[in-house]
Amino acid sequence: SRFWNEKTKGLEPYIPGEQPKSKKLVKLNTNENPYPPTRAVRDAIAAANCGDLRLYPDPEATALREAFAKYVGVKAENVFVGNGSDEVLAFAFDTFFEKGKPILFPDICYSFYPVYCRYFEIDYETVPLKEDFTVDIDGFRKENGGVVITNPNAPTGIALSRDDIEEILKANPNRVVLIDEAYVKFGAESAVPLIETYPNLLVVQTMSKSHSLAGLRVGFAIGSAELIEGLNRVKNSFNSYPVDRLAQAGALAAIEDSAVIEKRCRRIAATRQGVSVALRSMGFDVLPSKTNFIMIHYWNADTEAMFQYLREHGIVVRHFQGPRIGDYLRVTIGNRSDMRRFLDAVEEYIS
């Protein structure tokens, strides 16, 4: 367009997963939770949807921050709230990283990271995953302007231990180490307990996956008061009222209902395990996942053809193009009925 500035002309935006219009499709492509928000969440949003919407929301999301801080075991001053973890990540990239000091992240990871770097004019280098798709800790020991790691990783689903994260922190005492824990509730170890020891650690979490609130957009950063103050400086220079009243009310209710949420996460993990066993028995390679999705590969299948076959049979999964992962499909773990239908379709295809 003739009205775009030069920066806009040069952007290569992130491409989100498809959101099919048909309700008849089994949607296993964007890692949404198969279970609806709890009744407490729905009631809280309904109660907040009243005359108070004429008023601005609490710009500090005080009640929500305090509840989330208690939930993860930190102080409210250690928590930042934003519109989903994507916005929180954007604030973090803008706050802590800069041009001329390349940040490091794995070569196979959340594909929004290089998009943020291009938008905020941040230099970056990628660290290749090992042959088994695990993160190479030693690759993060070299000079850098910051470190960003998704744990568990996406799209592989493989998790680092907390001890592994600590090794990376020890190697980078003067740089911010950002651990993106979007999927941590499905079986991985959170790095949050390390915050007290490492003031350069920033952990980002979201309510989209574990708490079934992808449509509400609430995410958090957890870190030292110094890091959180930096995020607030950027946020208040851009949008001082980011999280609306309905989102704050719904997210607060979800935190208070965490026992139910965590039980559902364990159910999803159990379904993931069952599906993985079934696929391996058919001859699939299934990466060891600690998320609500799995990466799968069949030894002699045309992956794109399998992707299209599943879609023609009403099942949408994700096929990433690119080296090393182009032979794999990423499959969200749905409810047991969804996964039975998926397994039946896969078995029909390979037979």
Side-chain angles (χ1 to χ4, degrees):
S1 171
R2 62 194 175 107
F3 298 113
W4 295 358
N5 64 25
E6 289 306 309
K7 179 178 179 178
T8 304
K9 291 176 183 176
L11 292 177
E12 296 178 36
Y14 170 77
I15 300 174
E18 179 190 3
Q19 293 289 343
K21 299 295 187 290
S22 173
K23 298 293 185 182
K24 295 180 181 179
L25 293 173
V26 176
K27 190 172 180 301
L28 305 178
N29 67 326
T30 49
N31 303 338
E32 291 136 327
N33 197 303
Y35 304 109
T38 65
R39 181 173 297 278
V41 172
R42 299 196 295 271
D43 290 346
I45 292 172
N49 188 13
C50 60
D52 283 349
L53 287 182
R54 67 185 180 83
L55 304 173
Y56 283 110
D58 175 4
E60 304 299 326
T62 306
L64 179 55
R65 278 192 310 114
E66 290 175 349
F68 186 77
K70 184 177 179 181
Y71 176 50
V72 298
V74 298
K75 298 177 181 177
E77 66 184 26
N78 300 123
V79 175
F80 175 89
V81 187
N83 286 300
S85 58
D86 283 341
E87 181 182 74
V88 175
L89 287 166
F91 283 138
F93 272 66
D94 200 20
T95 303
F96 304 117
F97 308 138
E98 57 190 308
K99 192 172 185 177
K101 297 178 181 178
I103 67 171
L104 304 177
F105 46 80
D107 64 335
I108 299 172
C109 64
Y110 186 25
S111 55
F112 221 139
Y113 299 158
V115 175
Y116 291 134
C117 287
R118 290 191 292 267
Y119 184 79
F120 293 115
E121 299 181 340
I122 299 164
D123 295 326
Y124 70 92
E125 296 177 10
T126 58
V127 177
L129 296 181
K130 294 180 182 179
E131 190 173 344
D132 63 357
F133 292 103
T134 57
V135 171
D136 182 4
I137 296 173
D138 291 335
F140 292 90
R141 298 185 191 277
K142 61 183 177 181
E143 181 63 26
N144 62 73
V147 170
V148 182
I149 293 176
T150 314
N151 194 51
N153 197 10
T156 67
I158 300 173
L160 289 171
S161 69
R162 190 180 297 148
D163 289 343
D164 292 333
I165 298 295
E166 188 163 18
E167 286 300 309
I168 294 171
L169 285 161
K170 288 177 180 176
N172 296 277
N174 299 314
R175 301 295 184 192
V176 170
V177 175
L178 192 162
I179 306 298
D180 182 353
E181 293 187 344
Y183 301 98
V184 75
K185 290 295 183 185
F186 299 102
E189 282 186 299
S190 175
V192 169
L194 298 175
I195 284 169
E196 193 171 343
T197 307
Y198 298 93
N200 61 322
L201 170 62
L202 189 75
V203 177
V204 175
Q205 295 187 2
T206 177
M207 307 201 81
S208 293
K209 319 297 184 184
S210 56
H211 289 70
S212 305
L213 294 179
L216 203 63
R217 315 308 302 132
V218 177
F220 301 91
I222 311 107
S224 65
E226 177 186 3
L227 296 185
I228 300 305
E229 182 183 355
L231 290 171
N232 278 311
R233 285 174 67 89
V234 171
K235 184 263 286 186
N236 289 326
S237 300
F238 177 74
N239 178 8
S240 56
Y241 293 99
V243 183
D244 66 64
R245 282 180 172 271
L246 301 185
Q248 290 189 36
L252 179 59
I255 291 168
E256 293 171 348
D257 228 2
S258 286
V260 175
I261 299 297
E262 289 169 5
K263 183 178 180 181
R264 289 179 175 181
C265 289
R266 290 192 294 271
R267 186 188 308 165
I268 291 168
T271 304
R272 177 191 70 213
Q273 177 64 15
V275 171
S276 297
V277 169
L279 288 167
R280 290 186 181 113
S281 72
M282 296 181 205
F284 278 84
D285 174 27
V286 183
L287 298 187
S289 174
K290 293 291 187 181
T291 64
N292 68 333
F293 60 83
I294 49 176
M295 284 279 280
I296 67 171
H297 165 62
Y298 193 71
W299 68 278
N300 71 341
D302 179 330
T303 306
E304 179 63 24
M306 186 187 296
F307 170 82
Q308 294 297 343
Y309 179 89
L310 290 171
R311 186 179 180 87
E312 289 164 8
H313 288 73
I315 300 165
V316 185
V317 296
R318 192 87 186 260
H319 183 205
F320 292 95
Q321 306 298 324
R324 299 182 68 189
I325 60 171
D327 290 336
Y328 285 78
L329 293 177
R330 192 190 71 185
V331 183
T332 303
I333 301 300
N335 61 36
R336 288 172 183 169
S337 174
D338 292 339
M339 302 319 290
R340 184 69 264 163
R341 186 171 163 186
F342 164 75
L343 288 172
D344 287 345
V346 165
E347 192 166 25
E348 288 170 8
Y349 179 79
I350 64 173
S351 64

